[in-house]
Amino acid sequence: MKKLIFAAALTACFGLSHAKAQNVNGVKLTDIHVDYIQIRAVKSFLTDKQWIALEHGQKVNDYSELYIRDDNDKKMEFNSAIDAVNKMKAYGYELLSVYTEQVDPSSNRPVYVLKRK
């Protein structure tokens, strides 16, 4: 039984050593060490999917570089911007303020500013 537990633990260690965290433009969320970040939800035109754009002061050449991505470099889907705010709590951030930005003449979207605890 001890050998089985040891083998399972060893397998888990090797498997987790290759696991990656979510990232923004190749920078893992765990490696972002700034006091303030800004997130906004970006909705897809053809589906109900929502992606999150995260800014932490990085230089950006293309807006698509702001999306939170998974291990396979695909944009991660979120239920809402608040879903992302709750996820960022696990990374040590708390909601500081919310403001709106104008998307087009007839609509606005909220932008969430988070502060490191």
Side-chain angles (χ1 to χ4, degrees):
M1 184 66 170
K2 289 182 182 178
K3 289 181 181 180
L4 180 63
I5 293 172
F6 177 74
L10 192 61
T11 302
C13 288
F14 283 117
L16 293 176
S17 67
H18 294 291
K20 297 178 184 176
Q22 292 81 29
N23 69 78
V24 175
N25 199 18
V27 179
K28 293 179 185 177
L29 295 182
T30 54
D31 293 340
I32 297 173
H33 301 290
V34 296
D35 291 329
Y36 300 95
I37 61 172
Q38 178 175 281
I39 63 174
R40 67 177 57 84
V42 179
K43 294 182 181 183
S44 172
F45 292 114
L46 303 175
T47 65
D48 291 335
K49 297 179 182 181
Q50 288 194 33
W51 299 290
I52 299 298
L54 185 147
E55 295 182 51
H56 59 87
Q58 73 273 37
K59 184 176 181 179
V60 178
N61 295 324
D62 183 16
Y63 192 79
S64 68
E65 295 175 356
L66 297 175
Y67 293 123
I68 297 176
R69 298 179 180 274
D70 65 10
D71 297 340
N72 299 320
D73 205 34
K74 289 187 176 183
K75 293 184 282 190
M76 289 184 61
E77 291 181 40
F78 288 86
N79 297 325
S80 64
I82 293 297
D83 185 22
V85 169
N86 287 327
K87 181 172 185 61
M88 293 309 296
K89 184 176 181 182
Y91 292 97
Y93 287 92
E94 62 185 354
L95 183 62
L96 178 67
S97 68
V98 181
Y99 67 92
T100 59
E101 68 179 3
Q102 191 168 8
V103 178
D104 57 45
S106 63
S107 67
N108 295 324
R109 74 172 155 211
V111 178
Y112 300 85
V113 178
L114 289 80
K115 180 181 179 186
R116 185 173 289 281
K117 295 179 189 176

